[in-house]
Amino acid sequence: MNDSDLVRRAIQAATGAGADVPIGAVVFAPDGTVLAEACNAREALGDPTAHAEILALREAATKYGDGWRLDGCTLAVTLEPCTMCAGALVLARVSRLVFGAWEPKTGAVGSLWDVVRDRRLNHRPEVHGGVLEEECADLLERFFRTQR
Ligand SMILES: [Zn+2]
């Protein structure tokens, strides 16, 4: 699968968000199989940390490797991760991050901060942002339009 396919899969994951802002994340094993997928569930779980990325990383770590490391894995997300999620994917040792829309207000992968490529950290995943950017942004715009 190419990067567009990975983000397309994350868009699918986002559609389960219900009352939550539709953001989806999928963790792929090195061989391309899906280890975990999740959508943002802050409202559904009443949990401020229940971002799609966190939920997907947690589940993936239970299925892959010998503990918590996701070496060789790819995380695909529909939106540029925030500081918490960028920190979490560095801690999980995710090898690649592919994301869709840029998030100028809270983005921590180049927009406001660049947590994943900070040279002071010992792990820096490869990053490909802006993949299927319009489709991912549309998903959010449609959601917020119905909220008003
Ligand atoms: Zn986040």
Side-chain angles (χ1 to χ4, degrees):
M1 286 202 280
N2 62 30
D3 289 348
S4 298
D5 295 328
L6 301 185
V7 171
R8 204 163 279 123
R9 194 72 179 66
I11 291 173
Q12 274 174 31
T15 59
D20 274 287
V21 178
I23 300 164
V26 182
V27 179
F28 297 89
D31 68 0
T33 57
V34 171
L35 287 171
E37 60 180 292
C39 57
N40 174 35
R42 248 180 348 183
E43 304 290 341
L45 299 176
D47 177 353
T49 70
H51 288 190
E53 300 95 310
I54 300 290
L55 299 175
L57 290 172
R58 277 194 187 134
E59 193 190 330
T62 66
K63 294 184 182 160
Y64 178 81
D66 57 358
W68 50 269
R69 285 180 193 81
L70 294 171
D71 284 315
C73 293
T74 298
L75 172 66
V77 201
T78 55
L79 186 67
E80 180 183 1
C82 70
T83 45
M84 171 180 72
C85 295
L89 73 96
V90 168
L91 291 175
R93 308 284 193 267
V94 165
S95 291
R96 282 190 87 226
L97 167 68
V98 182
F99 68 86
W102 295 90
E103 173 46 284
K105 291 197 232 77
T106 60
V109 186
S111 288
L112 270 193
W113 296 278
D114 197 349
V115 171
V116 301
R117 281 164 295 198
D118 192 313
R119 298 208 159 269
R120 292 165 293 187
L121 296 176
N122 63 0
H123 177 78
R124 289 186 294 276
E126 186 190 323
V127 178
H128 189 181
V131 178
L132 299 184
E133 189 176 357
E134 275 184 37
E135 285 175 51
C136 291
D138 279 353
L139 198 69
L140 293 169
E141 275 163 31
R142 258 179 286 144
F143 175 80
F144 287 115
R145 221 179 290 137
T146 61
Q147 293 287 297
R148 286 182 199 116

